[in-house]
Amino acid sequence: MHKLRSSWLALIIATAFLSGCFSLNGLGTAQAEDNSQELFETSEKLPMAELELLTEVYGRIKRDYVDEIEDEKLFKAAIRGMLNELDAHTSYLDDEELEKLREGTRGEFGGIGLELSSDNGFVQVVAPIDETPASKAGLKTGDIITRVNGESVRGIGINRIVNKLRGEPGTKVSLTIVREGAAEPLSFELERDIIKIQSVRSRTLTPGYAYVRISQFQERTAADLHKALDDLIEENEDKGLKGMILDLRNNPGGVLNAAISVSDAFLEGGQIVYTEGRAKGSRVDFDASDQDRIDGTPLVVLINRGSASGSEIVAGSLQDRDRAIIMGQTSFGKGSVQSVVPLLGGPAMKLTTARYYTPTGQSIDKKGVVPDIEVEDLRLAEAKQAERSKEAELEGLMPEAETDDRSAEEDKLRDLARDDYVLYEALNLLRGLNIVTKNSQKLPPGHSTTPVGRTP
């Protein structure tokens, strides 16, 4: 009798499960009815043994658990568990979580400014967002969060941890993290703030050489980048734009279309990236327009271990197309596409539906983008005063105006080397490429310099 009851309950759950599958492809009710026959044909062999096990566990909980549990809470917990077990990026979203996800793509919310990822029940920092409480406090890529406000977060799900970290500006939250190389866990107390992410910032480093920083890919990122590029071109109109650095370090990704539009800004036609999964229609090709907004100006892209997802799309496509030299550290390795799928039972789930591939067919998932030139994030120490005094002795041999100009420029570059060694090296690389190009133009016919390109 119990076996018969269990089988009937399993069949009811299976029917409900199949009905819920209609929403996986974002189908409306009418469409679901039209496609019901096809769906049942592809699901002829139901896992009845597993469904019976599920119903047995459900029945035991309803009958024997110490507290009475509502069916809605029980089934939502089952759904969360089922999705969380798939991968680090798939999850169920209730109304509050869905709204917080939307807030993140709009670029303004209350919190501490961390992009997180889940791995084997642990939550680690993908990257702290620029100019936020998290980045100012010194949280780093790879930090593993073990406690929030003194409570263990092992296995509770990444969305719930995000909910604990976000909150009203001015309120405080404490974190305990484990960091590679640290002998003991580290504790941080952070004050929440309105996280207004300015995704694009730019400036001229030295005449002719421009710098663009993209901290995250949002709805307005492409438009902001286009304006920044126009401003930089106008700012360097006298000497012309000789080189550009695109900084994607600690950029955790964001809106897929924004990342594609950023790649498009530096390419002339051809493929940017393509996505492919198991579902019909999951193969989608993204191609560039015919306009390179900086007309082939030499480009260096900076990445590090905190560069993920959309950052890897940009770096991977520009690397594969030989449009840019990639410099820094191997990136994070998140090469999957998540779709937010509304559910009939409400409200949605974030489901990994495809992986993306660079133009040469390379998957970045769990591998990352390997830079052409690897540079660690080092700090330079100040030279001894006796060594620096030799520069001062040479100043009397040059005209005063030239000495002042050169001294100001050298001070600026020295500050850059001290503050951001990787950026300083990228600038030196561009300046070197410009010298090689100039020298090759001076050579007589029949002579050429050794080609300068990406490292094999």
Side-chain angles (χ1 to χ4, degrees):
M1 187 69 177
H2 170 73
K3 182 73 173 175
L4 181 62
R5 205 165 44 239
S6 177
S7 297
W8 272 107
L9 188 53
L11 182 59
I12 292 169
I13 291 176
T15 304
F17 173 76
L18 289 172
S19 300
C21 283
F22 294 143
S23 64
L24 291 178
N25 294 319
L27 300 175
T29 306
Q31 289 174 298
E33 291 172 358
D34 293 341
N35 290 280
S36 60
Q37 185 63 38
E38 179 183 349
L39 185 60
F40 275 95
E41 286 175 359
T42 59
S43 307
E44 286 178 358
K45 295 182 179 179
L46 293 173
M48 291 304 297
E50 287 76 11
L51 287 169
E52 286 182 6
L53 176 60
L54 176 64
T55 57
E56 181 182 357
V57 171
Y58 169 78
R60 293 275 185 182
I61 292 172
K62 294 295 288 184
R63 188 186 66 194
D64 298 334
Y65 186 66
V66 63
D67 296 318
E68 188 174 343
I69 304 293
E70 294 179 358
D71 286 343
E72 181 183 2
K73 182 177 180 180
L74 200 55
F75 275 96
K76 281 190 176 179
I79 291 168
R80 285 187 187 277
M82 180 164 51
L83 293 172
N84 289 344
E85 283 293 311
L86 296 178
D87 61 56
H89 312 293
T90 293
S91 61
Y92 174 75
L93 302 171
D94 60 24
D95 290 296
E96 184 179 359
E97 291 162 343
L98 182 59
E99 179 56 29
K100 288 187 186 306
L101 182 66
R102 288 170 177 158
E103 286 175 357
T105 63
R106 289 194 294 263
E108 183 172 326
F109 53 90
I112 60 173
L114 280 178
E115 182 73 17
L116 303 175
S117 176
S118 177
D119 186 21
N120 294 325
F122 293 100
V123 172
Q124 69 173 343
V125 176
V126 175
I129 299 170
D130 289 351
E131 301 301 320
T132 62
S135 65
K136 292 174 182 176
L139 285 156
K140 297 181 178 180
T141 296
D143 286 346
I144 295 174
I145 299 176
T146 59
R147 293 180 178 275
V148 176
N149 292 330
E151 298 179 5
S152 172
V153 295
R154 177 75 189 271
I156 71 169
I158 193 167
N159 289 324
R160 294 186 182 182
I161 296 175
V162 170
N163 286 341
K164 288 176 177 289
L165 296 179
R166 291 188 180 181
E168 290 296 318
T171 58
K172 293 185 178 181
V173 59
S174 63
L175 300 181
T176 303
I177 64 104
V178 174
R179 177 175 294 170
E180 185 178 357
E184 297 179 351
L186 305 177
S187 297
F188 295 84
E189 186 174 75
L190 300 94
E191 185 174 312
R192 296 184 181 96
D193 198 357
I194 290 292
I195 308 300
K196 292 182 179 180
I197 304 172
Q198 183 183 350
S199 68
V200 179
R201 290 179 291 167
S202 61
R203 70 181 192 271
T204 294
L205 295 173
T206 190
Y209 297 94
Y211 170 81
V212 176
R213 163 72 179 157
I214 300 180
S215 59
Q216 197 174 39
F217 294 100
Q218 301 169 352
E219 293 170 359
R220 284 197 49 81
T221 297
D224 291 343
L225 173 65
H226 295 167
K227 184 180 184 306
L229 294 179
D230 290 342
D231 290 344
L232 288 168
I233 291 170
E234 184 178 350
E235 190 176 316
N236 291 276
E237 191 173 7
D238 290 343
K239 292 193 175 184
L241 205 55
K242 302 172 186 175
M244 179 172 289
I245 298 166
L246 178 63
D247 189 352
L248 301 178
R249 291 173 295 176
N250 290 330
N251 179 329
V255 179
L256 175 63
N257 287 339
I260 290 167
S261 296
V262 168
S263 302
D264 187 12
F266 302 106
L267 294 170
E268 286 187 358
Q271 192 174 62
I272 295 173
V273 70
Y274 68 91
T275 64
E276 194 164 24
R278 289 173 53 241
K280 289 181 180 179
S282 64
R283 169 70 189 240
V284 181
D285 291 85
F286 298 91
D287 296 325
S289 62
D290 294 329
Q291 182 186 7
D292 178 348
R293 288 181 171 267
I294 58 173
D295 294 326
T297 297
L299 182 64
V300 173
V301 177
L302 301 182
I303 60 172
N304 66 1
R305 297 179 185 92
S307 305
S309 191
S311 299
E312 295 171 299
I313 289 177
V314 176
S317 65
L318 296 178
Q319 184 181 55
D320 271 15
R321 296 284 305 277
D322 289 321
R323 178 60 186 90
I325 297 172
I326 312 301
M327 195 170 182
Q329 303 165 335
T330 299
S331 61
F332 186 80
K334 181 186 177 295
S336 57
V337 179
Q338 281 70 47
S339 301
V340 177
V341 185
L343 299 174
L344 294 179
M349 66 177 173
K350 187 172 68 168
L351 184 69
T352 299
T353 53
R355 290 185 176 90
Y356 60 76
Y357 298 84
T358 65
T360 59
Q362 300 298 313
S363 171
I364 296 166
D365 202 34
K366 298 181 175 63
K367 300 174 184 176
V369 175
V370 179
D372 302 308
I373 302 174
E374 188 166 347
V375 183
E376 289 297 320
D377 188 12
L378 304 175
R379 289 279 178 185
L380 294 186
E382 285 286 346
K384 294 180 181 179
Q385 188 63 35
E387 295 173 356
R388 293 186 58 185
S389 65
K390 295 178 181 178
E391 297 179 18
E393 293 172 6
L394 296 175
E395 292 182 2
L397 303 177
M398 293 184 289
E400 185 175 345
E402 185 178 346
T403 301
D404 291 343
D405 291 343
R406 182 168 298 187
S407 178
E409 188 66 25
E410 286 174 350
D411 286 344
K412 189 175 180 181
L413 292 176
R414 189 180 295 114
D415 289 343
L416 180 62
R418 185 186 63 243
D419 296 339
D420 193 336
Y421 173 73
V422 179
L423 178 56
Y424 173 73
E425 285 297 303
L427 177 59
N428 279 340
L429 175 61
L430 286 173
R431 294 169 79 185
L433 289 174
N434 188 50
I435 292 171
V436 170
T437 302
K438 278 184 177 180
N439 289 341
S440 66
Q441 292 171 351
K442 295 176 183 178
L443 290 174
H447 293 73
S448 64
T449 58
T450 303
V452 177
R454 298 196 294 110
T455 305

